[in-house]
Amino acid sequence: MFIAPFVATPLPVVRQMLTLAELKPGELIYDLGCGDGRVVITAVQEFGAQAIGVEMREDLVKQALNKVSELGLDGKVKIVHSDLFKVDISPADVVTLYLTTSANDKVKPKLEAELKQGARIVSHDYEILGWRPVKIDNFCENPRLGYPSHTIYVYKR
């Protein structure tokens, strides 16, 4: 099921998302709709996490797998070619999303049903309606712009 287009999250935003999630070494992060794998790659390289990216588009899965291999991260980053609704996310400490508000609404029951207490959910630019974020960060990717260009929502189960 297609639920959102692929738009790459800029790397400074990825780092801010992972920082706001308070991602710790050894924790397990899932990126639902991982695209080219930049979130899971950054989580492993810069935060020492374990990471699983879930992506349904075959071309993006191949791109992500090539990047993982190129960086020597095989065995540290797993990319799953699947519909995100069919993947068990119960082991996750952190879940990242860059979908849309309506897509987040479709994913919300899965997050509520599968995530353990204390898991953190980080959404780039789109809220999860009905949930109260523990943090909202208006992030300025490029300070020369002079205004925040991204909103990052952090939720806790």
Side-chain angles (χ1 to χ4, degrees):
M1 171 197 320
F2 173 80
I3 63 170
F6 171 63
V7 178
T9 301
L11 283 173
V13 178
V14 169
R15 289 182 184 100
Q16 185 69 359
M17 289 172 70
L18 299 177
T19 298
L20 289 170
E22 299 176 14
L23 183 62
K24 296 168 192 61
E27 284 191 315
L28 180 58
I29 181 171
Y30 280 70
D31 185 21
L32 302 182
C34 72
D36 63 6
R38 65 184 60 205
V39 171
V40 288
I41 288 168
T42 303
V44 168
Q45 286 184 316
E46 298 182 22
F47 291 79
Q50 300 173 51
I52 298 174
V54 181
E55 178 57 53
M56 66 181 299
R57 275 185 46 190
E58 190 172 355
D59 60 321
L60 292 171
V61 168
K62 286 179 182 173
Q63 191 177 338
L65 288 170
N66 287 340
K67 190 71 173 170
V68 166
S69 183
E70 190 179 290
L71 294 169
L73 297 175
D74 298 305
K76 294 182 181 177
V77 175
K78 182 177 180 184
I79 304 294
V80 178
H81 183 206
S82 181
D83 178 328
L84 63 85
F85 293 100
K86 296 178 181 174
V87 174
D88 175 20
I89 60 168
S90 62
D93 297 298
V94 174
V95 172
T96 55
L97 309 166
Y98 188 19
L99 302 173
T100 62
T101 302
S102 63
N104 283 353
D105 203 43
K106 290 179 178 112
V107 174
K108 183 168 73 169
K110 178 177 184 63
L111 299 171
E112 290 172 338
E114 294 183 25
L115 290 180
K116 61 190 170 195
Q117 204 65 33
R120 287 95 67 207
I121 302 96
V122 185
S123 181
H124 175 199
D125 278 341
Y126 298 98
E127 294 180 77
I128 300 175
L129 298 176
W131 284 10
R132 182 171 303 213
V134 293
K135 297 177 194 169
I136 300 175
D137 185 38
N138 294 308
F139 182 69
C140 189
E141 174 193 353
N142 182 345
R144 289 180 293 191
L145 290 176
Y147 59 89
S149 51
H150 302 271
T151 304
I152 301 168
Y153 299 90
V154 181
Y155 303 90
K156 199 173 221 177
R157 286 294 306 137

